[in-house]
Amino acid sequence: MRGQRGTEAQTIQVDGLGVQLIRKRVKNVNLRVRRDGTVAVSAPFHVPEREVAAFVRAKRAWVERARKRLAQEPADPFESATEADRAEWKAIVQAFAPPLIQKWERILGVRAGKLAFRNMKSRWGSCQPGTGRICLNTRLALYPPACLEYVVVHELCHLIMHGHSPAFYGLLDEALPGWREARSRLSSPPEGMGAFFMEE
């Protein structure tokens, strides 16, 4: 099944283990054990299914260890959050984001429009260059402050360059040299929570 942005998803069986195989534009084969114990693999389009299956088969012991560890951890804070929790996340991001935006507006020479806050599953922030509207994920409250600052700078940079071109990342490098560390942190769940990853 072809999804958005050039991805394809299907379920394959590897020695009785159901694996969600996601084809997309990545360089390596990546294996993930999700919070619910399901297994997912992202792989380049050119890698044969038999190689993906062999990779999963070779990592089967790691998969079982990851499942066991996840079963012993507390519940995912995103999925188990109460309305009060979500309200608190929003309050935190609402308090800390505006000063960061004002700071980086001056540095970058841009002007943001309306600021919105949402509890989102698939992105940390978004920007509408035409209106200057910036939306920030309230889940950023569960991460170090540097992560919120990175997302703020990333979205403000889109007011200068709309896409994710090399020039855009050059601008981000110049403005915030440590942004890759923050992005890497956001690819993991809050401390002690979430999924396990392995790369080929």
Side-chain angles (χ1 to χ4, degrees), residues 102-136:
Q102 292 170 11
K103 168 188 171 181
W104 284 99
E105 281 178 330
R106 292 192 297 270
I107 294 173
L108 296 171
V110 297
R111 182 74 175 178
K114 182 181 178 180
L115 186 58
F117 304 91
R118 292 178 56 198
N119 178 21
M120 299 182 285
K121 291 184 177 182
S122 61
R123 58 176 59 186
W124 292 111
S126 64
C127 174
Q128 297 177 357
T131 63
R133 181 181 184 274
I134 289 176
C135 183
L136 299 173

Side-chain angles (χ1 to χ4, degrees), residues 81-106:
T82 64
E83 286 296 327
D85 292 331
R86 288 188 282 270
E88 184 178 2
W89 301 346
K90 185 174 183 179
I92 291 170
V93 178
Q94 279 182 319
F96 285 93
L100 286 172
I101 288 176
Q102 292 170 11
K103 168 188 171 181
W104 284 99
E105 281 178 330
R106 292 192 297 270

Side-chain angles (χ1 to χ4, degrees), residues 68-87:
K68 183 176 180 180
R69 289 180 61 186
L70 286 168
Q72 295 172 345
E73 287 186 353
D76 186 317
F78 298 142
E79 298 302 323
S80 62
T82 64
E83 286 296 327
D85 292 331
R86 288 188 282 270

Side-chain angles (χ1 to χ4, degrees), residues 168-180:
F168 171 83
Y169 288 111
L171 175 63
L172 201 52
D173 281 331
E174 183 178 349
L176 194 69
W179 68 268
R180 287 179 177 81

Side-chain angles (χ1 to χ4, degrees), residues 8-200:
E8 292 181 357
Q10 66 181 112
T11 299
I12 63 174
Q13 293 292 322
V14 181
D15 298 341
L17 177 68
V19 178
Q20 183 183 32
L21 172 57
I22 304 168
R23 301 280 190 179
K24 58 184 179 179
R25 295 184 180 91
V26 292
K27 294 182 178 180
N28 302 307
V29 178
N30 300 288
L31 176 63
R32 168 191 291 189
V33 178
R34 297 192 179 107
R35 156 63 54 189
D36 61 2
T38 58
V39 179
V41 172
S42 58
F45 289 97
H46 64 83
V47 176
E49 185 177 314
R50 65 178 182 277
E51 290 188 17
V52 173
F55 177 66
V56 174
R57 194 172 289 116
K59 305 301 180 184
R60 185 62 180 265
W62 177 86
V63 168
E64 297 306 324
R65 289 197 301 271
R67 280 176 155 178
K68 183 176 180 180
R69 289 180 61 186
L70 286 168
Q72 295 172 345
E73 287 186 353
D76 186 317
F78 298 142
E79 298 302 323
S80 62
T82 64
E83 286 296 327
D85 292 331
R86 288 188 282 270
E88 184 178 2
W89 301 346
K90 185 174 183 179
I92 291 170
V93 178
Q94 279 182 319
F96 285 93
L100 286 172
I101 288 176
Q102 292 170 11
K103 168 188 171 181
W104 284 99
E105 281 178 330
R106 292 192 297 270
I107 294 173
L108 296 171
V110 297
R111 182 74 175 178
K114 182 181 178 180
L115 186 58
F117 304 91
R118 292 178 56 198
N119 178 21
M120 299 182 285
K121 291 184 177 182
S122 61
R123 58 176 59 186
W124 292 111
S126 64
C127 174
Q128 297 177 357
T131 63
R133 181 181 184 274
I134 289 176
C135 183
L136 299 173
N137 193 333
T138 57
R139 297 182 181 195
L140 286 162
L142 298 182
Y143 288 85
C147 293
L148 173 59
E149 184 164 30
Y150 155 63
V151 175
V152 165
V153 176
H154 182 113
E155 302 309 335
L156 287 176
C157 281
H158 278 309
L159 296 177
I160 301 173
M161 295 184 180
H162 296 183
H164 292 101
S165 64
F168 171 83
Y169 288 111
L171 175 63
L172 201 52
D173 281 331
E174 183 178 349
L176 194 69
W179 68 268
R180 287 179 177 81
E181 293 179 11
R183 184 180 68 173
S184 177
R185 182 66 189 84
L186 287 173
S187 69
S188 301
E191 290 295 336
M193 306 289 183
F196 286 86
F197 300 84
M198 177 172 284
E199 183 175 273
E200 182 181 43

